[in-house]
Amino acid sequence: MTGVRVAGVGLTHFGRHPERTGRDLFGEAALAAREESGVDPEDIESINYGNFMGSLAERQGHQAPLMAEMAGLQCPATRYEEACASAGVAIREAVRAVRSGEADVMLAGGCERMTNLSTADVTEGLATAADELYEIRAGMTFPGAYALMARAYFESFGGEREDLAHVAVKNHDNALPNEYAQFHRAITVDEVLDAPMVSDPVGLLDACPVTDGASALVLVSDEYAEANGLDAPVSITGSGQGGDNLALHDREHLAVTPATERAAAEAYDDAGCAADDVDLVEVHDCFTIAEVLAIEGLGFYDHGEGIGAARRGETTATGDLPVNLSGGLKAKGHPVGATGGSQIAEMTRLLRGDHPNSDHVEDATVGVTHNAGGTVASAVVHVLEVDR
Amino acid sequence: MTDAGYDEWLDAVDDGEGFYLACPEGHGSLPPRRVCPHCGSADLDHADLPTAGTVETFTICYVGGPDFADEEPYATAIADFGDVRLTGVVRGVDPEEVTVGMPVEAAVGTNRTTGDDLLILRAR
């Protein structure tokens, strides 16, 4: 089985782009990834494209061939949808295609346009990732769903809103030097605690923003990289995906995410590593509690221990296990269908040493990305390693 | 729009004859199902939904979707009814007064924005 290398990454700025369409955003990211990779466009065999709610937001279904056009490519293109993990699965399937020998060069990523919708319409659009009969009709929103999980966490394991506020403060600090991030504003614990409540106990500054943006990666086989003399020191060495019941109330525990545990176990096994070997992570922190659930599900902390990690300084940029050096979804932004690709692009930059936060992890060799769909009914985990 | 299984279930709850689906392994689930979502058994029987449940977790939602514009703020909770949990809007008490452990019963109400039937968890 061949190895898979990240030959190039492309990102748009994440933020509000009211004047731009999804096709324009993805075109920018795809061309950037193509240019950085140095591959001959004719060698790109397929596009795996992640998108969640384009049919609602832009009245544009069947987006994948459109995105191929925008990337200047005439090759098969397929859209992958797994809610907020859409790009994660798109990339995972591209990795599998290269490993199987079916393809030597793939373009994978995703895009979402969201800020053109009203807050109420975004809320409704995102809620479609929940169970329509039993959750949406019961007034569940996405902040509401994570609020239910946060309160269940406090009840089961302890912790308080102030612990979660430290997650938000940390991720805003990490986003400050990141040119692609939506927010370049440091915040304080008091500001998080005093922000308007969205869905108690989730406040406005516990939540990721509404974001437009796109991400793209060019993935190549080891053989292709060598034959073409590509400078591609980062490999995707592990990939895993886990699932769970869609509705929160059907889960065994309301503050534990077995889909993440299953995805991580598969990815670690695939890469031949363990949680202890990991130097840095990018996790799906759509809400502050989500980062806590993720670092526990990935095996870095026991249940109940993750909530204090940011407050104790363990997951800050200078801590033992930096989490979300990109700024995370919380501060970098969360264009849902693009996020999984953005995490791998950011991890690639961090490991290569050309990310503004790379100085914090100079000797890092192993990075992990974690992309979740809905209330973690889906999870995709990747292990990335860099040649040293 | 009708939803085979769900609408009948909601009607049953409204008639005070709420039920859930039970498999031989003792797992509970809500319709429509062809198999148990926990073990895959196709042998599903109706079992009586307990009259009383307790709130396991809840949120007070200040920003809802368009279908809940006239409800804000409202409390949505997940309540434990033994072999199953139910998610519903809490009524019969101020949203700010909902607590974990609070006893509730399942009932059917009306969504004030859409006029549709709505599963509610009524404070007991």
Side-chain angles (χ1 to χ4, degrees), chain B residues 23-106:
Chain B
C23 80
E25 300 288 321
H27 303 129
S29 61
L30 300 172
R33 303 274 179 197
R34 290 169 189 270
V35 296
C36 171
H38 304 287
C39 68
S41 169
D43 188 8
L44 300 178
D45 280 328
H46 283 204
D48 290 341
L49 186 71
T51 316
T54 52
V55 169
E56 199 172 326
T57 185
F58 69 94
T59 180
I60 305 164
C61 187
Y62 295 95
V63 184
D67 284 356
F68 282 81
D70 297 329
E71 298 273 344
E72 299 162 6
Y74 58 94
T76 287
I78 297 178
D80 181 357
F81 283 79
D83 288 341
V84 287
R85 297 193 193 97
L86 301 183
T87 306
V89 172
V90 184
R91 293 224 178 125
V93 62
D94 242 25
E96 272 81 10
E97 289 174 18
V98 178
T99 55
V100 170
M102 190 178 91
V104 291
E105 61 190 24

Side-chain angles (χ1 to χ4, degrees), chain A residues 134 137 139 148 151 200 251, chain B residues 31 57-59 74 85 87 118:
Chain A
Y134 284 102
R137 293 189 196 190
L148 293 169
R151 195 181 305 278
D200 196 354
R251 313 265 176 86
Chain B
T57 185
F58 69 94
T59 180
Y74 58 94
R85 297 193 193 97
T87 306
L118 176 73

Side-chain angles (χ1 to χ4, degrees), chain A residues 82-235:
Chain A
E82 193 87 319
C84 310
S86 294
V89 286
I91 289 160
R92 172 172 157 78
E93 293 308 317
V95 167
R96 285 150 66 97
V98 173
R99 283 178 160 188
S100 74
E102 276 183 26
D104 273 313
V105 187
M106 298 282 295
L107 187 115
C111 177
E112 207 75 57
R113 185 170 175 227
M114 303 171 70
T115 70
N116 56 316
L117 299 175
S118 68
T119 300
D121 286 339
V122 170
T123 302
E124 183 176 64
L126 292 174
T128 62
D131 184 323
E132 200 277 326
L133 291 180
Y134 284 102
E135 295 185 314
I136 299 175
R137 293 189 196 190
M140 191 185 283
T141 61
F142 255 80
Y146 277 89
L148 293 169
M149 296 166 90
R151 195 181 305 278
Y153 188 102
F154 296 158
E155 287 290 323
S156 297
F157 305 123
E160 55 184 5
R161 284 197 69 224
E162 191 167 341
D163 296 309
L164 297 177
H166 282 268
V167 175
V169 168
K170 165 181 78 70
N171 291 349
H172 273 251
D173 283 347
N174 289 343
L176 287 173
N178 186 352
E179 69 272 33
Y180 296 110
Q182 184 160 1
F183 294 136
H184 295 114
R185 180 169 75 87
I187 57 173
T188 66
V189 167
D190 284 344
E191 283 177 271
V192 180
L193 294 174
D194 293 342
M197 206 49 97
V198 175
S199 200
D200 196 354
V202 170
L204 190 62
L205 291 180
D206 287 292
C208 66
V210 176
T211 311
D212 306 319
S215 61
L217 311 169
V218 175
L219 302 177
V220 301
S221 64
D222 278 342
E223 293 76 12
Y224 182 94
E226 189 177 349
N228 291 277
L230 301 184
D231 177 23
V234 174
S235 295

Side-chain angles (χ1 to χ4, degrees), chain A residues 280-306:
Chain A
L280 72 164
V281 280
E282 289 286 314
V283 305
H284 198 95
D285 60 322
C286 47
F287 300 94
T288 48
I289 185 66
E291 177 165 314
V292 175
L293 299 174
I295 60 178
E296 293 181 3
L298 291 165
F300 303 124
Y301 289 91
D302 291 335
H303 297 306
E305 297 295 319

Side-chain angles (χ1 to χ4, degrees), chain A:
Chain A
M1 189 170 68
T2 183
V4 182
R5 288 184 176 267
V6 184
V9 305
L11 291 167
T12 66
H13 174 259
F14 277 15
R16 299 184 72 88
H17 296 287
E19 74 291 357
R20 298 179 64 184
T21 53
R23 68 179 86 192
D24 182 43
L25 292 166
F26 188 76
E28 180 189 332
L31 289 175
R34 267 182 49 183
E35 186 175 349
E36 190 183 271
S37 73
V39 305
D40 182 340
E42 300 222 332
D43 289 348
I44 297 174
E45 290 158 86
S46 288
I47 296 179
N48 286 7
Y49 170 76
N51 175 260
F52 173 49
M53 52 185 225
S55 300
L56 291 171
E58 295 197 286
R59 294 194 306 167
Q60 184 64 66
H62 204 186
Q63 289 196 4
L66 173 65
M67 297 309 174
E69 274 184 60
M70 299 307 291
L73 300 170
Q74 287 189 318
C75 62
T78 306
R79 174 185 139 181
Y80 288 80
E81 189 274 304
E82 193 87 319
C84 310
S86 294
V89 286
I91 289 160
R92 172 172 157 78
E93 293 308 317
V95 167
R96 285 150 66 97
V98 173
R99 283 178 160 188
S100 74
E102 276 183 26
D104 273 313
V105 187
M106 298 282 295
L107 187 115
C111 177
E112 207 75 57
R113 185 170 175 227
M114 303 171 70
T115 70
N116 56 316
L117 299 175
S118 68
T119 300
D121 286 339
V122 170
T123 302
E124 183 176 64
L126 292 174
T128 62
D131 184 323
E132 200 277 326
L133 291 180
Y134 284 102
E135 295 185 314
I136 299 175
R137 293 189 196 190
M140 191 185 283
T141 61
F142 255 80
Y146 277 89
L148 293 169
M149 296 166 90
R151 195 181 305 278
Y153 188 102
F154 296 158
E155 287 290 323
S156 297
F157 305 123
E160 55 184 5
R161 284 197 69 224
E162 191 167 341
D163 296 309
L164 297 177
H166 282 268
V167 175
V169 168
K170 165 181 78 70
N171 291 349
H172 273 251
D173 283 347
N174 289 343
L176 287 173
N178 186 352
E179 69 272 33
Y180 296 110
Q182 184 160 1
F183 294 136
H184 295 114
R185 180 169 75 87
I187 57 173
T188 66
V189 167
D190 284 344
E191 283 177 271
V192 180
L193 294 174
D194 293 342
M197 206 49 97
V198 175
S199 200
D200 196 354
V202 170
L204 190 62
L205 291 180
D206 287 292
C208 66
V210 176
T211 311
D212 306 319
S215 61
L217 311 169
V218 175
L219 302 177
V220 301
S221 64
D222 278 342
E223 293 76 12
Y224 182 94
E226 189 177 349
N228 291 277
L230 301 184
D231 177 23
V234 174
S235 295
I236 298 179
T237 57
S239 177
Q241 183 175 349
D244 202 350
N245 294 322
L246 185 65
L248 205 49
H249 65 206
D250 286 325
R251 313 265 176 86
E252 192 171 336
H253 197 296
L254 298 176
V256 172
T257 52
T260 294
E261 294 170 16
R262 291 168 189 143
E266 185 184 3
Y268 294 157
D269 183 55
D270 194 22
C273 73
D276 282 353
D277 301 321
V278 176
D279 297 309
L280 72 164
V281 280
E282 289 286 314
V283 305
H284 198 95
D285 60 322
C286 47
F287 300 94
T288 48
I289 185 66
E291 177 165 314
V292 175
L293 299 174
I295 60 178
E296 293 181 3
L298 291 165
F300 303 124
Y301 289 91
D302 291 335
H303 297 306
E305 297 295 319
I307 194 160
R311 195 173 191 166
R312 294 190 297 264
E314 295 158 7
T315 54
T316 55
T318 54
D320 285 347
L321 180 72
V323 176
N324 286 332
L325 280 173
S326 69
L329 286 54
K330 170 71 195 87
K332 188 190 173 197
H334 182 28
V336 290
T339 289
S342 163
Q343 293 174 317
I344 294 179
E346 294 282 21
M347 184 58 75
T348 300
R349 297 196 312 141
L350 284 158
L351 289 172
R352 286 190 314 211
D354 55 77
H355 192 284
N357 279 329
S358 286
D359 289 351
H360 294 296
V361 285
E362 270 179 351
D363 300 322
T365 54
V366 181
V368 160
T369 64
H370 162 263
N371 187 201
T375 50
V376 205
S378 310
V380 183
V381 171
H382 283 105
V383 179
L384 280 74
E385 298 184 55
V386 64
D387 299 339
R388 289 276 178 221

